[in-house]
Amino acid sequence: MSAALPLRTREIQLASRPHGRPVPENFRLAETALPDLQDGQILVRNEFMSVDPYMRGRMNDAKSYSAPFRLDAALDGGAVGEVIASRSAAHKVGDVVVHQLGWREFSVVDAAAATPVPAGLAPASAFLGALGMTGLTAYAGLLKVAEFKPGDAVFVSGAAGAVGSIVGQIAKAMGASKVIGSAGSAEKVARLLELGFDAAFDYHNGPVVDQLREAAGERGIDVYFDNVGGEHLEAALSVLTVGGRVAMCGAISQYNSTAPTAAPRNLAVAIGKQLTLRGFLVGGQRQHAAEFSTRMAGWLADGTVRYDETIVDGLENAPQAFIDLLDGANTGKMLVRTG
């Protein structure tokens, strides 16, 4: 490795496993030596990294769909940055790539695990959000998992977040009869209306089921895109029409729970209403990535879809950004500018 290149990197390690809500003491800012670059590897100076709700589950020492983070080791997750050294024909110095070794300033990445970012299509940060896994989650969850069709009335929880805000806009673009969103503040509700949602409410302002019924009217809803779980899922089951569909993407209201959470008390209505509830992971929807990328690029270009970002500066502030994300402090995608 050239002397002009960095030999060390700062990184965020998991110092202890959270019990309930994470606290800053669960994390550690450390400096470690970068390994020598091997054939087929690249060195990336990270510009942005993503913090995402699913990471909370990986902080537990529990078997899940994704391996737990290791204690006293760097966390990982989506990042985008510039290649500053390469021993791979697939990526040259100066390329911008997306990879999964975030939570650090510099990353040595296997070339096969890095995806090039097309120049000029959108800012690099968008490839962690609207044009990345976030956007694919929204697109595939709505159109493939929930099997949305024109004329459907759609309800999205966590609608001002990175995924939810895009779900609502895609539904409008694809001919929804009504799109309803829930969010956690008056400012977020106002933003949803700016983005084209037909109705939105602050879930702090009363029982979710009452506010949802008022927004949906006698027609009810045909599709529920669930980012929250808990009371929101229970409310949606009450308001869904016969044959309604639920795409279960996340349950952020329960991620910090220290006791088992109750299932929706009205789950039995799924029988008489002949509802479909389908959980999904974006990793199982990669076959739709090319279709999604083409469509989303067009929607962004013509303004059909807009996206918000909440950007926190400094790798050292990544743990607090993650904690704030779980508390709903973000509008749109929560990102940390690392470089």
Side-chain angles (χ1 to χ4, degrees):
M1 188 177 290
S2 166
L5 295 172
L7 301 177
R8 302 180 67 80
T9 184
R10 294 196 306 160
E11 63 185 25
I12 302 294
Q13 299 177 349
L14 187 64
S16 59
R17 299 197 183 280
H19 180 70
R21 183 179 183 271
V23 295
E25 291 74 23
N26 295 132
F27 305 90
R28 176 191 303 119
L29 178 64
E31 186 176 293
T32 60
L34 285 165
D36 291 336
L37 212 57
Q38 303 298 313
D39 287 341
Q41 292 185 326
I42 56 177
L43 177 61
V44 181
R45 177 190 290 112
N46 295 324
E47 183 179 0
F48 292 98
M49 56 165 273
S50 177
V51 290
D52 302 287
Y54 82 88
M55 294 174 176
R56 176 62 187 87
R58 294 188 65 195
M59 292 174 188
N60 298 330
D61 188 12
K63 186 175 182 180
S64 183
Y65 62 86
S66 190
F69 291 125
R70 292 186 296 116
L71 286 175
D72 303 317
L75 292 89
D76 58 65
V80 64
E82 180 185 356
V83 177
I84 59 173
S86 176
R87 293 188 63 178
S88 166
H91 305 287
K92 66 182 185 298
V93 172
D95 286 352
V96 177
V97 297
V98 173
H99 60 89
Q100 290 298 311
L101 291 180
W103 292 86
R104 60 203 93 189
E105 290 177 320
F106 299 94
S107 302
V108 173
V109 182
D110 290 339
T115 303
V117 168
L121 187 59
S125 60
F127 291 87
L128 295 176
L131 279 166
M133 288 297 116
T134 298
L136 179 58
T137 301
Y139 180 89
L142 179 68
L143 301 185
K144 312 300 182 180
V145 178
E147 298 180 347
F148 169 88
K149 56 185 182 294
D152 280 342
V154 177
F155 172 46
V156 187
S157 59
V163 172
S165 58
I166 295 176
V167 170
Q169 292 178 83
I170 293 175
K172 289 295 291 184
M174 299 294 286
S177 60
K178 178 179 281 190
V179 177
I180 304 164
S182 73
S185 71
E187 292 78 13
K188 290 182 178 182
V189 167
R191 181 56 179 159
L192 293 179
L193 298 176
E194 290 175 357
L195 291 175
F197 282 66
D198 298 292
F201 60 86
D202 181 345
Y203 62 83
H204 295 109
N205 288 347
V208 174
V209 67
D210 293 345
Q211 296 193 78
L212 178 57
R213 279 206 178 102
E214 182 178 353
E218 292 185 9
R219 160 71 187 279
I221 58 172
D222 304 292
V223 169
Y224 171 44
F225 195 105
D226 188 16
N227 291 305
V228 173
E231 183 186 359
H232 279 78
L233 178 56
E234 189 169 286
L237 292 174
S238 292
V239 182
L240 278 158
T241 57
V242 173
R245 290 92 67 205
V246 179
M248 301 178 71
C249 178
I252 195 169
S253 70
Q254 301 171 8
Y255 288 164
N256 289 334
S257 297
T258 57
T261 53
R265 294 166 295 181
N266 60 343
L267 187 58
V269 304
I271 302 168
K273 290 186 177 183
Q274 303 168 68
L275 304 179
T276 301
L277 283 71
R278 289 182 61 190
F280 76 102
L281 302 173
V282 68
Q285 304 296 321
R286 294 181 189 277
Q287 68 272 29
H288 306 302
E291 173 189 318
F292 152 73
S293 295
T294 299
R295 269 186 157 169
M296 182 56 73
W299 285 331
L300 291 175
D302 66 15
T304 298
V305 172
R306 291 173 286 166
Y307 63 90
D308 293 320
E309 295 175 331
T310 299
I311 296 176
V312 174
D313 278 304
L315 177 70
E316 65 277 6
N317 296 316
Q320 190 62 52
F322 174 73
I323 293 168
D324 291 345
L325 169 76
L326 296 178
D327 290 340
N330 60 301
T331 298
K333 182 70 176 178
M334 179 71 95
L335 297 168
V336 177
R337 186 184 282 114
T338 55

